């Protein structure tokens, strides 16, 4: 071992870090980064372009054959045919228990909607419930019109229960209307 007489601290070799990339390696890294950035810009531009055009296309230019989402196709059909009010009332028929309450919905069911007269026809399973619904009709009309738009339903026509089929035969009393005497 040799002694250092000058008083200088001997230099220890520093551990070598990974060698810095040379010119070719730097070029490859830069090219990869540029390709990734271009791909990201291209994907974003393509998505933006498709969104602007309304989705996928069937050819080079937009035309009537292009595919469209099911919801927008149904909305377009309803608008073209003028079915807005009947479709809205159909939605109300599906939500009938939430609109009138569970008790009333168990005994009264909407049957149909007359668009020309703006009348909702409801059938009840007993005359007592039919009478009750006739008393509630103005309130229900107001509630339905809040949901559907003013004037969509002008009247609720309440029908009582349907009786059994009338039988005609030798055991029928003259002048009798049959089972219809007790129903309706």
């Amino acid at each position: 071992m040799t002694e250092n007489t000058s008083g200088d601290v001997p230099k220890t070799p520093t551990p070598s870090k990974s060698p810095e990339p040379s010119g070719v390696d730097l070029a490859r890294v830069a090219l990869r980064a540029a390709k990734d950035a271009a791909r990201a810009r291209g994907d974003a531009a393509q998505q933006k372009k498709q969104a602007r055009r309304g989705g996928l296309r069937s050819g080079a230019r937009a035309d009537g054959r292009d595919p469209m989402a099911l919801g927008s196709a149904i909305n377009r059909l309803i608008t073209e045919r003028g079915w807005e009010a009947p479709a809205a009332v159909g939605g109300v028929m599906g939500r009938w228990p939430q609109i009138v309450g569970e008790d009333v919905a168990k005994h009264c069911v909407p049957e149909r909607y007359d668009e020309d007269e703006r009348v909702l026809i409801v059938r009840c399973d007993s005359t007592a419930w039919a009478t009750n619904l006739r008393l509630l009709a103005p309130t229900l009309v107001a509630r339905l019109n809040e949901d559907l738009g003013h004037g969509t339903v002008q009247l609720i026509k309440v029908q009582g229960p349907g009786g059994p089929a009338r039988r005609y035969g030798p055991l029928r009393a003259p002048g009798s209307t049959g089972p219809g005497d007790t129903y309706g």
Side-chain angles (χ1 to χ4, degrees), residues 89-101:
V89 172
V92 164
M93 288 182 179
R95 294 181 288 124
W96 183 252
Q98 288 86 19
I99 294 172
V100 298

Side-chain angles (χ1 to χ4, degrees), residues 94-138:
R95 294 181 288 124
W96 183 252
Q98 288 86 19
I99 294 172
V100 298
E102 293 292 328
D103 291 337
V104 176
K106 288 178 186 175
H107 301 282
C108 304
V109 179
E111 284 192 339
R112 66 181 184 273
Y113 174 70
D114 185 0
E115 185 181 1
D116 297 331
E117 296 179 18
R118 298 182 185 268
V119 174
L120 180 65
I121 299 169
V122 179
R123 176 151 326 260
C124 297
D125 63 359
S126 71
T127 54
W129 277 103
T131 302
N132 189 18
L133 195 66
R134 283 186 189 102
L135 294 173
L136 291 174

